[in-house]
Amino acid sequence: NTPPNGTYWNVLAQAGTNGTNGTDLSTTLTTRGDIVFKGASALTRLPKGTAGYYLKQGANDPEWGAISGGDVVKLATVTVSSAASVISIDGNGSWVDNSVYGSYTFIIQNLSTTNDSNSSEVFWRMNHAGSQVSAEYYSIVATTDANSGSSSSSSTKRWNDNSWGLSHNNMDAESSRSGYGKIEILSTGGNNIGGSGSHICNMMSDFISHHSNSSTIYRNSQMGYLNNDSKLFSGISIYPTGGNIDEGIITVYGRKR
C-alpha cells in the first residue's frame, strides 16, 4: 500500500531496465566474457578480449593488452637434419634487427660431425649481409681446459685470423658425446644500431666437447672481436675442418636495447 505520509519514507531500490543504475545489465553485457565497468557517466561494457591477452588499466578505463616477450626474445631455431659442410644461422632480412636488439646469443646443443679423426675440429664465422666474413679480421684470446683423469689448462691468442675456433681439438662423431655451448654477439658493429659507423663487433664463445675416441673432455672459452667496423652482424656460420656437421640444434635469442 502507498504510505499515508511520504515525508517519512525514502526509496531504497527500484527495478532498472538499461543497466545504468546497476540493477539490470542484460542490455549492457551482450557477449559471454564481457566485463562491465564504471564509465564517465554510466556503467560501460568492455567487450571480451583476445585469447591470451591480459586486463590492464588505461589512462581512465580498463583495456585488454598483449603480453610482450620481455627483454630477451627467441628469434629462430635451426635443426640439422642432414649432413652439411656449413650450417648458417642467418637473419638477414628477417629476424635480425640491430636497432631493436643490442646483442644476440646462440645456444648450441648436440653438435656432432661425420668425421671421428683429427679433421673434425669445428670453427665459426660471423655473417654480414647474409654471407660469411672470411677475411683476416678475427682477433681472439682463448682458454682451454681439459680433463681425462687429470686436468690441464692452456691459453693462446690469435691476431687477424680468418675464423674463430669453437671446439678444441677434434670432436667425437658419436651423438651421445656431442658438443654443447653458446656463442654471444655482444655488439653488432657499424653504428651499433644497424647502420654504418665506427663500432666493431665484440664476441665470445664457450663450448664443451669430447675428444674423438678418448675419455678427454674439453672446454674452449674465447673472447675477441671482428676488426672491421663496416661489417654489421646478420648471423653466424658453423663448419668443421673436415667432413660435415650431421646433427645439432642452434637457437638464437635477441636481447633488447
Side-chain angles (χ1 to χ4, degrees):
N1 297 327
T2 303
N5 189 338
T7 303
Y8 302 103
W9 296 86
N10 295 314
V11 175
L12 298 180
Q14 69 182 32
T17 58
N18 59 6
T20 59
N21 59 11
T23 59
D24 184 359
L25 299 177
S26 62
T27 58
T28 303
L29 302 178
T30 63
T31 306
R32 180 179 178 179
D34 287 352
I35 294 176
V36 67
F37 66 92
K38 174 64 171 67
S41 59
L43 295 179
T44 304
R45 169 183 175 254
L46 177 65
K48 63 174 292 188
T50 302
Y53 278 39
Y54 73 100
L55 186 64
K56 65 178 183 177
Q57 180 62 47
N60 294 299
D61 300 328
E63 59 189 35
W64 299 108
I67 298 175
S68 67
D71 291 334
V72 177
V73 180
K74 181 180 178 180
L75 301 175
T77 298
V78 171
T79 300
V80 181
S81 56
S82 59
S85 59
V86 178
I87 304 299
S88 179
I89 310 96
D90 193 89
N92 187 47
S94 57
W95 50 260
V96 161
D97 189 341
N98 295 337
S99 65
V100 175
Y101 304 108
S103 60
Y104 299 84
T105 299
F106 295 80
I107 302 298
I108 304 166
Q109 299 172 290
N110 201 35
L111 192 74
S112 67
T113 66
T114 55
N115 279 21
D116 201 4
S117 65
N118 291 332
S119 58
S120 59
E121 189 173 352
V122 177
F123 287 79
W124 70 277
R125 291 174 174 144
M126 193 189 83
N127 290 3
H128 164 70
S131 300
Q132 297 181 45
V133 178
S134 57
E136 295 178 348
Y137 297 134
Y138 299 89
S139 296
I140 303 158
V141 175
T143 300
T144 301
D145 297 302
N147 193 318
S148 58
S150 61
S151 61
S152 64
S153 181
S154 62
S155 60
T156 186
K157 61 183 179 180
R158 298 159 63 192
W159 185 257
N160 286 344
D161 209 336
N162 64 3
S163 62
W164 184 299
L166 184 61
S167 69
H168 177 76
N169 215 311
N170 43 313
M171 285 182 58
D172 201 297
E174 298 176 26
S175 176
S176 61
R177 291 156 60 86
S178 53
Y180 290 79
K182 65 179 178 179
I183 295 170
E184 296 200 58
I185 308 299
L186 303 175
S187 58
T188 57
N191 65 356
N192 215 23
I193 56 172
S196 60
S198 57
H199 291 271
I200 59 177
C201 288
N202 291 273
M203 303 169 286
M204 62 185 296
S205 64
D206 199 4
F207 194 77
I208 295 174
S209 61
H210 286 87
H211 189 285
S212 68
N213 299 317
S214 78
S215 59
T216 303
I217 185 171
Y218 290 104
R219 177 185 179 186
N220 192 25
S221 301
Q222 305 196 41
M223 296 188 70
Y225 56 86
L226 184 75
N227 193 19
N228 187 322
D229 58 23
S230 68
K231 303 299 183 183
L232 311 182
F233 167 81
S234 72
I236 63 172
S237 294
I238 301 174
Y239 65 97
T241 51
N244 295 312
I245 292 176
D246 62 349
E247 194 171 0
I249 302 172
I250 303 99
T251 305
V252 55
Y253 297 86
R255 290 189 190 90
K256 292 183 179 178
R257 295 184 177 279

